[in-house]
Amino acid sequence: MNELLRVQNLRVHFPVRHGLFGRSGAVVKAVDDVSFTIAAGETVGLVGESGCGKSTLGRAVIRLIPPTSGTIQFEGLDLLTLSKDKLRAQRRNFQMIFQDPFSTLNPRTTVGQIIGEALEIHELAPDRASRLDRIGQLLEQVGLERAHAQRYPHEFSGGQRQRIGIARALAVQPRLIVCDEPVSALDVSVQAQVVNLLQDLQAELGLAYLFIAHDLAVVEHISRRILVMYLGKIVESGPAEAVIGDPRHPYTKALISAAPSIRKNGKARLVLGGELPSPIEPPAGCPFHPRCPLAQEVCRVERPVHKDISDSRSVACHFA
Ligand code: SF4
């Protein structure tokens, strides 16, 4: 598979502002030294608890948030050193689908206008007739009707709104879509329909997805590879089947233990206690050590580095 995206040593740190002068000197390390790749047409799942930095990573990858350091290469082009004009031209290659499409759909514009706006900005339809035809095509492609172009977002169900969000993303013919918890707000039956739609579109259009979710069952279903994130860092990565079937990092084991639908019979449960620590003051040593039932003295003082446990798998744990 051809490599589409290469992220290396990416950091997104935010200064913490409070007090009289709005500065405290403290820093939130939302994304801390993250590296991964996505091939053309591939789905990579990104899992972890709420607040672990998944969404920030997804937004940084497509330059909605400026990274602090690192590199992001899209088809070999370094997105962090591109001029504004060149970055704008590249933007149509990567799009985002959000958890709550309603909050990103302007309630005062019709669905046709919402989708048509992207076509206009990127000059993808030369005249009104071709724009209307393309809007109709896109609506049909996501399982809606051409006539829906005349309606407003509030006239649709949650699943239909997500389809509108997908049609808007598809309008610019992207190569990569960051899907940020795209089904978490939907009923279970509707979740399956939207996931199936994403898979059909991938097969038809050769799209790559970075699929962000806290639900491991959904991620396992759709992903070829999985990245497990904890407190701003990737702690385990590998093929979906291997990561779910034979997790090596205690945090991955705990996530699987907490997901009854994918927990394999006979495997010992590893219960995750406590809360995700603050990324402002991450624990010394292994950031997972305060919650890890397998922690030893070395874990409190020494940060584990990533170890390759096979050609395609990597784990950051002293004892993996
Ligand atoms: Fe647990 Fe230690 Fe491994 Fe961290 S390095 S996950 S604390 S065993």
Side-chain angles (χ1 to χ4, degrees):
M1 283 174 124
N2 291 339
E3 187 176 288
L4 188 67
L5 180 81
R6 172 169 288 267
V7 174
Q8 280 182 305
N9 309 111
L10 193 72
R11 291 185 168 84
V12 184
H13 295 180
F14 301 113
V16 179
R17 298 187 187 281
H18 58 72
L20 189 57
F21 300 105
R23 303 186 67 157
S24 71
V27 167
V28 176
K29 295 180 177 177
V31 175
D32 201 22
D33 201 10
V34 166
S35 302
F36 64 96
T37 59
I38 301 181
E42 181 186 39
T43 300
V44 173
L46 177 61
V47 291
E49 288 164 286
S50 174
C52 73
K54 309 185 293 291
S55 293
T56 305
L57 175 58
R59 283 168 166 76
V61 161
I62 59 169
R63 293 294 318 267
L64 291 180
I65 296 177
T68 308
S69 63
T71 59
I72 303 170
Q73 288 178 307
F74 189 84
E75 292 187 310
L77 261 182
D78 183 350
L79 296 186
L80 301 189
T81 57
L82 282 184
S83 66
K84 269 190 183 165
D85 283 349
K86 286 193 173 146
L87 180 62
R88 197 174 305 128
Q90 279 297 315
R91 279 209 181 277
R92 60 174 283 205
N93 282 321
F94 30 87
Q95 292 290 302
M96 189 146 186
I97 302 170
F98 300 89
Q99 175 176 357
D100 176 11
F102 199 52
S103 66
T104 64
L105 301 175
N106 185 339
R108 283 187 285 276
T109 52
T110 63
V111 166
Q113 287 168 323
I114 289 168
I115 298 171
E117 193 184 14
L119 295 172
E120 259 180 71
I121 290 171
H122 291 277
E123 298 172 359
L124 294 172
D127 51 46
R128 189 167 181 274
S130 60
R131 190 163 67 243
L132 292 179
D133 189 49
R134 178 77 180 126
I135 291 166
Q137 274 175 15
L138 286 160
L139 287 171
E140 286 179 347
Q141 205 165 18
V142 299
L144 296 172
E145 295 167 19
R146 283 179 177 256
H148 286 151
Q150 312 303 324
R151 299 206 198 155
Y152 290 86
H154 73 266
E155 298 177 65
F156 294 89
S157 67
Q160 287 175 318
R161 282 178 204 151
Q162 195 52 286
R163 288 172 191 267
I164 296 166
I166 295 170
R168 178 177 57 182
L170 291 182
V172 296
Q173 300 167 332
R175 311 281 313 282
L176 168 72
I177 299 183
V178 173
C179 308
D180 189 4
E181 302 268 9
V183 297
S184 341
L186 304 175
D187 292 343
V188 174
S189 59
V190 182
Q191 284 187 2
Q193 292 167 12
V194 172
V195 167
N196 289 342
L197 171 65
L198 288 171
Q199 287 181 308
D200 291 347
L201 291 170
Q202 181 172 54
E204 193 183 326
L205 305 170
L207 296 164
Y209 296 134
L210 176 63
F211 193 94
I212 301 172
H214 63 273
D215 183 343
L216 264 181
V218 175
V219 171
E220 182 197 28
H221 178 76
I222 196 169
S223 308
R224 198 174 79 91
R225 284 187 298 128
I226 290 182
L227 311 172
V228 182
M229 193 166 187
Y230 186 79
L231 217 56
K233 291 181 176 294
I234 303 299
V235 295
E236 177 159 8
S237 63
E241 231 171 62
V243 171
I244 300 294
D246 181 24
R248 298 297 185 87
H249 195 283
Y251 181 60
T252 315
K253 291 180 187 178
L255 288 181
I256 292 170
S257 290
S261 63
I262 56 169
R263 203 171 63 231
K264 306 283 183 274
N265 287 340
K267 292 250 174 186
R269 290 201 64 185
L270 199 155
V271 179
L272 190 58
E275 304 267 308
L276 194 69
S278 163
I280 299 175
E281 282 182 79
C286 172
F288 188 54
H289 87 254
R291 303 170 79 191
C292 181
L294 309 179
Q296 307 286 321
E297 191 47 41
V298 62
C299 307
R300 288 177 241 288
V301 289
E302 212 174 288
R303 184 175 287 275
V305 293
H306 270 273
K307 282 188 281 202
D308 290 338
I309 55 171
S310 74
D311 281 354
S312 53
R313 292 195 68 184
S314 162
V315 184
C317 169
H318 291 305
F319 303 104

